[in-house]
Amino acid sequence: MAKSISKKTVHPGFTVNGSLWIEKKGKRFFGPGPLQLLELIAETGSIRQAAGQMQMSYKKAWQIINNLNTMAGKPLVVKQSGGEKGGGSVVTDEAKLLINRYKLLRNRFRDFLEKETVILD
């Protein structure tokens, strides 16, 4: 599910490309897929709907969320039960901070790739 940040032709047949992941103890923690999942949960208020929009199983979405919550040490997504619509899920303030920080890092990473591409031209 990882999408590249930047692709630019350096020379016919060559491209500079990269994907940014945050790791913890050598394991992938946060990247493009988890980012999209958290953003869709925040938008829809539903893990099931977010997973559906990503063409991902609910089980897989829950695995990603459990991994995020465990590795972060604080909940990034919490389920809410009851209510008019039967509950849902909420993205926490910690998750919103992570999303914003990751987007800043991704922009800096894209700028780095573009700078390196210019050097290779």
Side-chain angles (χ1 to χ4, degrees):
M1 189 110 240
K3 293 183 180 177
S4 65
I5 301 299
S6 177
K7 288 184 178 181
K8 186 172 180 181
T9 301
V10 174
H11 188 276
F14 294 94
T15 59
V16 174
N17 190 4
S19 184
L20 179 66
W21 277 90
I22 298 171
E23 294 183 352
K24 183 176 182 181
K25 297 181 181 180
K27 290 183 67 179
R28 283 187 175 186
F29 167 65
F30 197 78
L35 169 70
Q36 184 181 11
L37 182 61
L38 289 183
E39 288 181 324
L40 287 170
I41 292 169
E43 180 183 315
T44 64
S46 166
I47 296 169
R48 188 172 305 282
Q49 287 181 33
Q53 288 184 33
M54 292 180 71
Q55 298 181 340
M56 173 188 300
S57 73
Y58 179 75
K59 180 180 179 183
K60 177 67 175 174
W62 253 115
Q63 288 172 339
I64 291 170
I65 291 164
N66 284 333
N67 183 60
L68 289 171
N69 285 345
T70 300
M71 290 181 79
K74 295 181 178 179
L76 300 180
V77 176
V78 291
K79 287 185 77 167
Q80 293 183 329
S81 57
E84 289 181 23
K85 298 179 183 178
S89 296
V90 175
V91 173
T92 65
D93 289 340
E94 288 84 4
K96 291 174 187 173
L97 289 172
L98 177 61
I99 289 167
N100 290 333
R101 178 69 176 140
Y102 179 80
K103 286 181 174 183
L104 289 172
L105 285 170
R106 187 172 62 181
N107 289 338
R108 290 175 50 204
F109 184 64
R110 182 183 56 243
D111 292 346
F112 167 79
L113 291 175
E114 289 173 1
K115 178 183 171 195
E116 293 303 310
T117 296
V118 170
I119 291 170
L120 293 172
D121 275 342

